[in-house]
Amino acid sequence: MNASPRSSVAEARPSWPWALLAPGLLWLLLWFVAPLASLVPMSLSEPRDRFSLAVNFTGRLDNYAEVIGQYAPILLRSLQIAGSASLIALLIAYPLACWISFRGGRFKGLLLGLVVVPFFTSYLVRTIALTTLLADQGPVLSLVRALGLDGGLESIGLLSDGRLLNTAAAVVIGLAYNMLPYLVLPLVVSLESIEPQWLEAAADLHAGGFSTFYRVIWPLSLPGLSAGVVLSLIPGLGDVVNAQFLGGPNDRMIGNAISNLVLVQGQAPKAAALALLLMTLMTGAVLAQVRRHGSRELTAS
Amino acid sequence: MIAGFERPSQGTIRLEGVDVTATPPHRRNVNTVFQHYALFPHLSVWDNVAFGPRSRRLAEPEVRRQVGEILERVRLSELAARRPGQLSGGQQQRAALARALVNQPAALLLDEPLSALDPGLRSTLQEELKRIQRECGISFLIVTHDQEEALALSDRLAVMNAGRIEQIGPPRQVYDAPSSSFVARFIGRANLLAGGDGRSQLLLRPEQLRLQADPLPSDPAEQAVRARVTAVTFQGPSLLVELDAADGSPLVVRLNRWDAMASVRSGESLWVVWQTAAAHRLTV
């Protein structure tokens, strides 16, 4: 009896649960994989004329070489802008997540709800609302001027000619604001998995508050931190809206460049090549994250 | 409170003669083995054990020496590179012990150290715990709900009831001469009989009683009551016989399984006999 063959165990596992995957799989195939795959031939084509998006497939690899040469600086600047935004959002999100996890008590759910509340309004509306806040006569600049901080902020490059709107700083602020929930949620998931007993054990083993933080809390929050950075950096890098509404003409990001290639220049093949390059970059980042820390924190939020 | 996680509402806690009532946990010379060990999941066994010495900013060669030594003592040297998640319950327990002991505390607190382990492992680790304690010469303060564990492990045993110490003393004394009926019932099984004077009770442990079919022989050193068997429980080396005395009070007798009376059945009426001198008198 105890020597029953292994195959019978495998047979005992029903195959129907795979059917649960089917709707999602089908949806992704239809609306994600298929359009993405169609970009591949397009990226190897030439535009038929200047007035439509119609293309002739010519197997032209030069599109890639050209967009890399032409858009590398914009890609780099996009990385800088999205990276700074992610960093600033992180500096706000980390203490916030700590506070919610360790001090939230019975208000934890409410506090997390408040973090998510901005999602109830459209992304576009929220970003346009920021233009009012950051405008030349808006509340932010009025406060800065009233505190006499405008000179100092100008000298470190946060203001240009006394303005905030239509600067790279405004794009960073907008992105950081929009990224906040994507950082807070995975961080809270990570911090929640820290047992209070581990903190007691650290104190018992003669570690003070700071020592406990950087030897226990910080390393155990790293999976959430890295998930948050990936979740915020990727939409940030591809973002079009913030640069368009908050940035100046020199603060365009890679997303704006792609949209410009399609809508203004009629260069769909180059846009496709650029989009695929960006996609590859981001997929690489996600895979690296999942390999290192698993997908729990990415999906838990 | 001894570890410092809670403040007493009154009184003082003295450690090696020094008042530490207001000292926070990380400055107390006391270490704890937590009930579920609370090993850091992101650190190897080695780094878990090195946590305390590194907190105290010992030089790294000294940390290596101390950690190596204590891992040797708890026999975990081979597993030093493993994470806690890759250890069995018993190994985790020894890792937690090493992590606390390496700090050479004035006292080591153990919060139900064996409760998370299965019974077979428990008795092996009891011996192990005793050996390590003797070798280190550090006082172990063990909290347990398991009375047998308490009797087997301790040199001094305190029975607590609702936050108060009812009795403190060597385990034999607590078992043989409990100071109250609470202690008598809490440690081991107890037969409490009326003392005859209305103010005291007689304690007789189940193994001090004997069953016999005939009425009392004329031995003046013995006493007996008549009782009816209500249940017989086979416990391997012994039998536990529960009876109702003629006055209705319950009695429990432990018999060697080769005892002449080992074949008693429920419903039989018998005599329960004991040596008068064996009874311990409790004042109510």
Side-chain angles (χ1 to χ4, degrees):
Chain A
M1 275 308 283
N2 56 7
S4 71
R6 213 161 246 221
S7 62
S8 74
V9 177
E11 275 162 21
R13 183 181 288 177
S15 57
W16 63 263
W18 290 99
L20 296 176
L21 263 181
L25 222 51
L26 207 66
W27 187 261
L28 281 178
L29 273 174
L30 203 61
W31 303 116
F32 177 70
V33 178
L36 200 63
S38 78
L39 285 185
V40 176
M42 184 177 278
S43 71
L44 301 172
S45 307
E46 281 177 80
R48 194 171 293 161
D49 52 54
R50 298 191 45 124
F51 310 106
S52 74
L53 292 178
V55 294
N56 292 327
F57 182 79
T58 55
R60 191 173 185 271
L61 273 169
D62 287 353
N63 284 333
Y64 283 93
E66 282 170 26
V67 293
I68 289 175
Q70 203 176 341
Y71 291 101
I74 288 201
L75 184 61
L76 220 61
R77 193 168 60 223
S78 300
L79 270 170
Q80 271 173 4
I81 289 179
S84 330
S86 195
L87 189 70
I88 289 171
L90 185 64
L91 290 178
I92 300 168
Y94 201 96
L96 182 63
C98 279
W99 202 87
I100 291 176
S101 299
F102 297 131
R103 295 281 155 84
R106 62 203 171 92
F107 297 111
K108 208 174 276 176
L110 180 72
L111 292 167
L112 278 177
L114 287 177
V115 169
V116 182
V117 156
F119 286 136
F120 292 178
T121 329
S122 130
Y123 182 53
L124 193 64
V125 171
R126 274 182 285 141
T127 308
I128 292 173
L130 275 182
T131 61
T132 323
L133 286 175
L134 302 178
D136 294 351
Q137 301 305 325
V140 174
L141 277 180
S142 304
L143 185 69
V144 166
R145 280 194 290 266
L147 293 172
L149 294 173
D150 40 347
L153 292 181
E154 182 88 37
S155 66
I156 56 168
L158 276 176
L159 296 180
S160 43
D161 299 331
R163 303 193 67 200
L164 193 50
L165 197 59
N166 300 329
T167 65
V171 181
V172 171
I173 292 173
L175 279 173
Y177 158 66
N178 282 311
M179 283 171 177
L180 202 60
Y182 294 108
L183 277 159
V184 173
L185 296 179
L187 273 173
V188 168
V189 171
S190 254
L191 293 171
E192 283 292 297
S193 72
I194 296 178
E195 301 273 348
Q197 253 203 346
W198 296 336
L199 306 183
E200 280 188 7
D204 189 74
L205 295 166
H206 312 293
F210 182 73
S211 180
T212 301
F213 173 77
Y214 95 96
R215 294 161 78 195
V216 180
I217 297 176
W218 174 257
L220 287 171
S221 72
L222 282 183
L225 189 104
S226 109
V229 168
V230 166
L231 282 178
S232 64
L233 209 52
I234 284 176
L237 201 56
D239 188 72
V240 181
V241 172
N242 284 278
Q244 188 175 335
F245 288 95
L246 304 174
N250 295 322
D251 307 316
R252 288 187 310 144
M253 294 175 67
I254 201 79
N256 308 92
I258 294 172
S259 111
N260 188 277
L261 273 172
V262 178
L263 299 176
V264 179
Q265 303 181 33
Q267 288 280 1
K270 281 189 183 173
L274 196 50
L276 283 173
L277 281 176
L278 194 60
M279 193 73 206
T280 313
L281 207 71
M282 291 172 177
T283 312
V286 174
L287 286 182
Q289 141 79 19
V290 171
R291 257 192 109 110
R292 217 171 139 198
H293 296 294
S295 58
R296 191 176 70 97
E297 272 81 4
L298 272 181
T299 49
S301 44
Chain B
M1 278 192 269
I2 300 172
F5 297 115
E6 280 174 54
R7 291 284 285 276
S9 48
Q10 56 178 22
T12 53
I13 293 168
R14 259 189 281 277
L15 193 63
E16 298 183 309
V18 181
D19 182 356
V20 294
T21 315
T23 310
H26 66 277
R27 301 236 176 80
R28 287 194 194 196
N29 190 16
V30 168
N31 292 103
T32 308
V33 175
F34 291 86
Q35 188 171 4
H36 299 290
Y37 315 136
L39 293 166
F40 303 119
H42 60 297
L43 298 178
S44 66
V45 170
W46 178 279
D47 287 325
N48 262 285
V49 176
F51 197 95
R54 285 178 181 152
S55 297
R56 290 180 289 128
R57 299 181 191 285
L58 296 186
E60 201 56 23
E62 179 63 13
V63 172
R64 268 199 292 280
R65 193 187 63 75
Q66 290 191 358
V67 173
E69 206 168 89
I70 199 77
L71 283 178
E72 198 74 43
R73 181 162 290 166
V74 301
R75 297 174 184 152
L76 276 181
S77 306
E78 317 283 299
L79 306 174
R82 293 220 190 154
R83 297 279 174 94
Q86 300 166 308
L87 299 180
S88 71
Q91 290 163 348
Q92 287 184 25
Q93 204 259 346
R94 282 182 286 152
L97 196 61
R99 185 178 71 168
L101 276 178
V102 74
N103 303 293
Q104 291 159 315
L108 182 75
L109 311 181
L110 299 101
D111 183 9
E112 307 218 25
L114 304 173
S115 69
L117 304 171
D118 58 76
L121 204 55
R122 216 178 282 183
S123 59
T124 328
L125 279 163
Q126 269 182 19
E127 289 313 306
E128 192 82 354
L129 213 53
K130 266 184 143 162
R131 172 184 68 81
I132 293 167
Q133 194 274 330
R134 296 283 186 260
E135 283 177 20
C136 301
I138 292 170
S139 299
F140 282 21
L141 187 64
I142 302 175
V143 176
T144 177
H145 278 103
D146 183 330
Q147 312 142 27
E148 277 179 41
E149 190 174 298
L151 291 170
L153 276 176
S154 61
D155 297 316
R156 266 188 5 132
L157 178 61
V159 178
M160 294 194 70
N161 180 23
R164 278 178 191 284
I165 293 181
E166 290 262 344
Q167 184 175 6
I168 186 161
R172 273 166 204 270
Q173 186 193 332
V174 173
Y175 185 78
D176 291 337
S179 63
S180 67
S181 60
F182 174 83
V183 176
R185 273 194 220 126
F186 191 75
I187 299 282
R189 307 225 20 187
N191 294 298
L192 293 169
L193 304 162
D197 56 6
R199 284 182 294 112
S200 65
Q201 284 181 313
L202 293 178
L203 165 71
L204 285 156
R205 294 294 183 187
E207 63 275 14
Q208 293 173 313
L209 300 179
R210 181 174 101 234
L211 296 179
Q212 61 186 50
D214 309 318
L216 192 62
S218 54
D219 184 344
E222 289 189 331
Q223 272 183 283
V225 292
R226 191 155 177 81
R228 210 167 56 83
V229 178
T230 56
V232 180
T233 313
F234 176 63
Q235 294 191 325
S238 64
L239 286 169
L240 213 58
V241 183
E242 288 169 72
L243 310 99
D244 274 337
D247 65 357
S249 55
L251 291 171
V252 54
V253 179
R254 189 181 295 282
L255 296 180
N256 184 302
R257 74 169 292 194
W258 307 117
D259 189 282
M261 300 301 293
S263 59
V264 287
R265 291 171 191 279
S266 287
E268 284 182 53
S269 276
L270 295 158
W271 288 91
V272 178
V273 185
W274 66 91
Q275 298 273 321
T276 311
H280 170 71
R281 189 170 289 271
L282 284 167
T283 320
V284 180

